[in-house]
């Protein structure tokens, strides 16, 4: 038995991993046992320049941008998963009061980011 939050919102690769654990034979039957086959069936990737984690340069990243065949993916995954949504569970949600506070970086933080960039 597995218990997880929402694998699709975490990453598409997490959903694939769950299916590999729970539905390997189904993936083989549908020729989707390799991630590249699975990913090209259910998603489309885009490659773009993004800011590197260090914040001082850019890097090329490939990410899922669009999803395809989602009804088929969910039908397959529902064979092994009991999917619940906030709407079906009708759980109470607390009120949230957000406060954004901007602070200047300390010299130590600036030095650490510079070191990461090197």
């Amino acid at each position: 038995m597995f218990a997880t939050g929402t694998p699709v919102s975490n990453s598409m690769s997490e959903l694939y991993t769950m299916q590999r654990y729970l539905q390997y034979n189904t993936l083989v039957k549908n020729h989707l046992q390799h991630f590249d086959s699975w990913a090209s069936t259910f998603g489309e990737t885009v490659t773009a320049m993004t800011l590197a984690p260090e914040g001082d340069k850019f890097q090329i990243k490939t990410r899922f941008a669009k999803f395809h065949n989602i009804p088929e993916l969910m039908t397959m995954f529902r064979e092994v998963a009991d999917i619940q949504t906030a709407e079906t569970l009708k759980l109470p949600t607390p009120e949230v009061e957000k406060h954004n506070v901007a602070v200047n970086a300390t010299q130590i933080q600036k030095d650490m980011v510079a070191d990461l960039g090197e």
Side-chain angles (χ1 to χ4, degrees):
M1 179 161 103
F2 285 86
T4 184
T6 52
V8 175
S9 68
N10 293 340
S11 74
M12 285 298 286
S13 60
E14 185 177 333
L15 179 58
Y16 168 75
T17 300
M18 293 296 293
Q19 286 191 284
R20 290 259 313 174
Y21 279 122
L22 301 172
Q23 294 183 284
Y24 186 75
N25 292 336
T26 301
L27 293 177
V28 169
K29 183 176 84 173
N30 291 294
H31 307 288
L32 300 172
Q33 69 269 27
H34 301 290
F35 181 74
D36 290 345
S37 299
W38 184 91
S40 65
T41 299
F42 298 116
E44 179 181 316
T45 58
V46 294
T47 302
M49 297 282 286
T50 61
L51 191 61
E54 301 84 30
D56 64 344
K57 60 186 171 211
F58 288 91
Q59 60 187 6
I60 296 176
K61 284 286 187 179
T62 302
R63 293 191 167 94
F64 276 102
K66 292 182 181 178
F67 301 102
H68 305 287
N69 305 315
I70 294 300
E72 291 81 1
L73 176 59
M74 289 295 92
T75 298
M76 186 186 311
F77 191 55
R78 280 190 174 112
E79 292 175 1
V80 294
D82 181 22
I83 299 171
Q84 299 293 318
T85 64
E87 292 79 30
T88 59
L89 294 174
K90 297 180 181 149
L91 296 174
T93 55
E95 293 295 321
V96 176
E97 188 175 324
K98 295 181 181 181
H99 298 278
N100 291 323
V101 178
V103 295
N104 294 325
T106 66
Q107 189 58 48
I108 292 171
Q109 291 169 322
K110 291 176 185 176
D111 293 343
M112 187 172 19
V113 170
D115 288 343
L116 289 172
E118 291 176 16

